[in-house]
Amino acid sequence: NAGVTQTPKFQVLKTGQSMTLQCAQDMNHEYMSWYRQDPGMGLRLIHYSVGAGITDQGEVPNGYNVSRSTTEDFPLRLLSAAPSQTSVYFCASSYFTGDGGYTFGSGTRLTVV
Amino acid sequence: GDSVTQMEGPVTLSEEACLTINCTYTATGYPSLFWYVQYPGEGLQLLLKATKADDKGSNKGFEATYRKETTSFHLEKGSVQVSDSAVYFCALTVYAGNNRKLIWGLGTSLAVNP
């Protein structure tokens, strides 16, 4: 089925560990993005990309890195996990214009202890 | 700046009741407007959209009309079901040159009791 695939679904990290959250889409969408969702704070944009080789920061980029080597994949790297990064992470993609709306992955629930 | 304001939840209704979730916005230019739904434990799904003034988006019995004069995009359903229990997010897209920005409301939780 066409869509956005995120892995893993759940992850527990210790403070200071690093990890990569994977995101892949098969709809040939130019635009991909990463959000975190925290209670009472809605969705906050971490990083986004408008095409392969192009990435930019969102509103909460600190502690995260991204790259976009292909149209399909947009991994999110946590460099040194902190308890403040405990959250649910969503990857979303769309055509560049965005008027068709975004397609979201099912999310990764991350806990940093 | 650009913003979206949704009514606070949680909203609790009985099955077959009428639903309205208010959404108002401030934005420069001519935004496109969206409602997304998030069922428990899942990602967000696009529910409906409207890209210009007076457009009505509709899906699964839900409707919302783009009202430029009141800068609103209220979500309505005439008869809710237990399966409509979810969190609903209002959002808008604004453009500035080649840049696009998606602005989210904080979400409104809906619980429908049998």
Side-chain angles (χ1 to χ4, degrees), chain B residues 5-89:
Chain B
T5 302
Q6 288 182 238
M7 63 185 286
E8 290 189 23
V11 174
T12 303
L13 296 173
S14 298
E15 205 164 25
E16 300 183 2
C18 294
L19 169 71
T20 299
I21 300 178
N22 291 334
C23 173
T24 57
Y25 68 90
T26 58
T28 54
Y30 302 94
S32 296
L33 302 174
F34 306 87
W35 277 102
Y36 285 81
V37 58
Q38 184 178 29
Y39 298 105
E42 298 184 11
L44 281 73
Q45 303 173 24
L46 179 64
L47 181 60
L48 52 85
K49 65 182 175 76
T51 57
K52 61 182 187 295
D54 300 324
D55 269 2
K56 177 185 283 188
S58 61
N59 187 24
K60 299 181 180 179
F62 291 89
E63 293 183 338
T65 301
Y66 188 147
R67 302 283 189 202
K68 193 166 179 62
E69 63 277 12
T70 56
T71 61
S72 65
F73 193 55
H74 305 322
L75 182 68
E76 298 176 327
K77 188 174 185 182
S79 176
V80 294
Q81 306 300 312
V82 172
S83 57
D84 293 327
S85 299
V87 181
Y88 293 82
F89 291 88

Side-chain angles (χ1 to χ4, degrees), chain A residues 1-87:
Chain A
N1 290 336
V4 177
T5 302
Q6 283 186 241
T7 56
K9 291 191 181 301
F10 301 95
Q11 183 71 50
V12 178
L13 289 179
K14 294 182 178 179
T15 298
Q17 287 185 317
S18 63
M19 78 161 294
T20 299
L21 280 63
Q22 301 292 344
C23 175
Q25 54 91 9
D26 58 2
M27 298 167 284
N28 207 31
H29 283 167
E30 298 93 350
Y31 185 92
M32 296 186 75
S33 55
W34 278 100
Y35 287 91
R36 58 178 292 172
Q37 185 178 35
D38 303 291
M41 303 192 74
L43 289 159
R44 292 183 291 170
L45 181 64
I46 304 171
H47 285 286
Y48 67 97
S49 167
V50 298
I54 306 170
T55 64
D56 208 345
Q57 296 180 351
E59 58 183 302
V60 288
N62 291 340
Y64 308 94
N65 272 358
V66 291
S67 60
R68 183 100 179 265
S69 57
T70 67
T71 299
E72 295 79 17
D73 299 299
F74 191 46
L76 177 72
R77 282 182 287 277
L78 280 70
L79 309 173
S80 176
S84 61
Q85 294 179 303
T86 294
S87 186

Side-chain angles (χ1 to χ4, degrees), chain A residues 99-111:
Chain A
D99 282 350
Y102 285 28
T103 301
F104 279 79
S106 58
T108 296
R109 184 174 294 275
L110 175 68
T111 302

Side-chain angles (χ1 to χ4, degrees), chain A residues 84-100:
Chain A
S84 61
Q85 294 179 303
T86 294
S87 186
V88 181
Y89 291 85
F90 289 100
C91 180
S93 71
S94 75
Y95 291 112
F96 182 74
T97 61
D99 282 350

